[in-house]
Amino acid sequence: MNALEAHDLRRTLPGEPPVTLVADASLAIERGKFTTIIGPSGCGKSSLLYLLGLIDRPTGGTLLVEGEDASALDGDARARLRLRHFGFVFQFHFLLPEFTAIENVSLPMRRLGRLAPDGIEARAMALLKATGLEGKERKTPDRLSGGERQRVAIARALANDPALILGDEPTGNLDSRNSARVVDMFRTLAHEENRAVVCVTHDLTIAAASDVRIAMLDGRIASVERS
């Protein structure tokens, strides 16, 4: 089963004339694959990602998440589905500055309510260790480097064991060494943990490291290339 399937997905903003951000996008996102969405600025890359991640609502088309039709769900149901199945990593880490690393990673688990408090802390500790942050669990974001903050964001994205990890320019603020480390982590999450990882990027080096490259132009999918 594909983790995501989109059929004729569209997003149009009202106006005179209306503005189409994504037009008739049909694609399948597979588990076990690292997929990148590439294209020039303003081509609709992030708009497509936000539709796939249930952040924005399409104006047409169908979206299946792990086989479940998410197209007609109300806001609360979309939020619950997003919390269960998705983890997000953005260009800016969006960590809560007053919370420690372990507290930031624990937040999605507390919202989902699947684990008891001791289970939440144990999983957060394990995720931070897995992302190379052992010993820094009690530090607030201002006491971490840029690369460390982004790794906390990745650990937070994994908190609820999602099938899908979506990234919007997740290496945009990192140097080349930390960018390579993040890409290696994404490849591991896809290849070794059988997750679907999808990243918007303008970096062709990152695109070259992915298994599937979706090229967009003027709001449409121009091509899909597989390694």
Side-chain angles (χ1 to χ4, degrees), residues 92-106:
F92 301 100
H93 52 76
F94 295 123
L95 300 177
L96 295 180
E98 69 275 21
F99 284 9
T100 63
I102 193 169
E103 289 169 336
N104 270 284
V105 174
S106 297

Side-chain angles (χ1 to χ4, degrees), residues 167-190:
D168 190 7
E169 299 283 5
T171 64
N173 284 329
L174 301 179
D175 59 29
S176 57
R177 181 177 64 85
N178 279 304
S179 292
R181 186 168 189 172
V182 168
V183 171
D184 285 344
M185 291 175 67
F186 285 154
R187 287 174 57 84
T188 297
L189 290 170

Side-chain angles (χ1 to χ4, degrees), residues 5-227:
E5 289 185 27
H7 301 281
D8 298 322
L9 211 58
R10 300 185 301 280
R11 179 162 168 78
T12 301
L13 301 181
E16 292 296 335
V19 177
T20 297
L21 302 179
V22 176
D24 304 321
S26 296
L27 71 155
I29 301 296
E30 302 172 63
R31 278 180 174 263
K33 300 291 185 183
F34 175 30
T35 299
T36 49
I37 303 175
I38 59 176
S41 296
C43 71
K45 301 188 298 295
S46 293
S47 295
L48 176 60
L49 189 80
Y50 295 161
L51 290 177
L52 297 178
L54 306 182
I55 294 174
D56 288 337
R57 187 181 291 275
T59 50
T62 303
L63 180 64
L64 303 179
V65 179
E66 291 282 279
E68 180 177 349
D69 189 350
S71 308
L73 296 179
D74 63 24
D76 288 343
R78 286 166 63 87
R80 288 193 298 272
L81 192 65
R82 192 166 57 238
L83 192 60
R84 290 201 316 271
H85 292 300
F86 291 89
F88 296 92
V89 185
F90 299 98
Q91 180 174 353
F92 301 100
H93 52 76
F94 295 123
L95 300 177
L96 295 180
E98 69 275 21
F99 284 9
T100 63
I102 193 169
E103 289 169 336
N104 270 284
V105 174
S106 297
L107 284 173
M109 291 182 274
R110 296 188 188 285
R111 287 185 61 203
L112 187 60
R114 184 185 291 162
L115 297 176
D118 57 346
I120 289 174
E121 179 160 347
R123 178 162 175 78
M125 291 284 282
L127 288 169
L128 289 168
K129 181 178 180 180
T131 51
L133 293 168
E134 189 174 15
K136 301 189 177 182
E137 298 90 348
R138 308 296 176 183
K139 291 188 175 183
T140 50
D142 63 310
R143 298 173 61 202
L144 299 171
S145 69
E148 288 169 341
R149 288 193 290 268
Q150 198 64 315
R151 279 184 276 146
V152 174
I154 292 172
R156 180 183 59 189
L158 293 169
N160 289 329
D161 195 23
L164 295 119
I165 304 294
L166 304 188
D168 190 7
E169 299 283 5
T171 64
N173 284 329
L174 301 179
D175 59 29
S176 57
R177 181 177 64 85
N178 279 304
S179 292
R181 186 168 189 172
V182 168
V183 171
D184 285 344
M185 291 175 67
F186 285 154
R187 287 174 57 84
T188 297
L189 290 170
H191 298 162
E192 297 182 16
E193 299 186 15
N194 198 38
R195 302 181 198 269
V197 181
V198 186
C199 286
V200 164
T201 185
H202 67 276
D203 189 328
L204 295 181
T205 302
I206 296 172
S210 64
D211 305 301
V212 183
R213 288 161 293 284
I214 299 170
M216 293 196 70
L217 186 65
D218 298 330
R220 295 180 180 273
I221 295 175
S223 64
V224 178
E225 178 186 340
R226 299 174 184 275
S227 297

